Amino acid sequence: MNDPRYPIGKFEAPLAYDPGVRATLIQQIEEAPGRLREAVDGLSESQLDHPYREGGWTVRQVVHHLPDSHLNSYIRFKLAVTEDQPTIKPYDEAQWARLQDATSADVEVSLGLLEALHRRWVLFLRSLSESQLSRTFRHPDLGTISLNQNLALYAWHGRHHVAHITRLRDRMGWR
């Protein structure tokens, strides 16, 4: 991909959600915190404050964005499993990324949070039945979303943002 906004391509939902596809997606969610940690390992403070593309978020903001986003997704999963097609509350991720904690906090805070969150999330995901993963929630802007689709989206989301950082490292020669 040549578009730095989508280094692994735009999200495309799988054509079907069988147990093998779901296992792969859950594994990608399980691996995301370690891949993110590897992506930022050894970066200096100035490198962390470098945008991954012109006009884009800094590496630091990307790191802090992942637990913000994935916490929201985890809660959406829980709501959809325990309520009948709940309407979820969206959030303004761009505004969250401009808050002081996202622009200046040590990335270790969010790396640890993401690791703990994903351990818990993966336990939950692996406990869900096929019928539970077919449950849905309503997004006010995007309509009805199944947990299968949300699973695929967040497996992609982690890989997408890790690729922002690893591609930047490659372009800048940061080893």
Side-chain angles (χ1 to χ4, degrees):
M1 265 319 285
N2 291 332
D3 186 341
R5 294 174 301 167
Y6 300 101
I8 63 169
K10 290 186 178 183
F11 171 70
E12 291 184 26
L15 298 176
Y17 295 97
D18 61 42
V21 167
R22 282 192 289 267
T24 297
L25 296 172
I26 292 169
Q27 182 177 351
Q28 290 172 351
I29 287 175
E30 184 174 34
E31 294 170 351
R35 292 187 187 279
L36 180 63
R37 185 175 286 284
E38 288 172 8
V40 299
D41 185 50
L43 293 181
S44 69
E45 291 298 307
S46 65
Q47 289 168 328
L48 290 169
D49 291 326
H50 194 284
Y52 76 88
R53 67 174 173 86
E54 187 175 330
W57 290 341
T58 65
V59 172
R60 184 182 311 275
Q61 287 172 299
V62 170
V63 171
H64 293 310
H65 164 70
L66 278 161
D68 286 347
S69 176
H70 291 199
L71 279 163
N72 275 281
S73 182
Y74 174 71
I75 290 167
R76 292 169 184 177
F77 270 87
K78 292 277 190 152
L79 289 170
V81 169
T82 60
E83 299 177 18
D84 187 29
Q85 195 176 25
T87 299
I88 59 93
K89 171 131 179 34
Y91 73 104
D92 186 336
E93 65 182 32
Q95 289 290 350
W96 285 36
R98 285 192 275 278
L99 295 172
Q100 187 173 3
D101 65 323
T103 61
S104 63
D106 184 343
V107 295
E108 186 57 43
V109 173
S110 283
L111 292 171
L113 177 57
L114 193 70
E115 288 165 350
L117 169 62
H118 278 234
R119 281 194 306 272
R120 177 77 184 272
W121 195 7
V122 166
L123 287 171
F124 177 64
L125 290 170
R126 288 188 174 138
S127 76
L128 298 177
S129 68
E130 190 168 328
S131 65
Q132 287 172 314
L133 284 162
S134 296
R135 292 181 64 90
T136 61
F137 60 83
R138 175 144 179 71
H139 189 291
D141 301 324
L142 305 175
T144 301
I145 298 173
S146 76
L147 293 186
N148 276 316
Q149 182 180 355
N150 209 46
L151 174 62
L153 176 63
Y154 278 85
W156 170 86
H157 187 254
R159 292 182 298 109
H160 165 74
H161 283 303
V162 167
H164 282 144
I165 298 167
T166 58
R167 299 278 168 89
L168 172 64
R169 286 185 81 131
D170 290 345
R171 284 194 316 273
M172 301 299 287
W174 296 342
R175 302 288 168 226

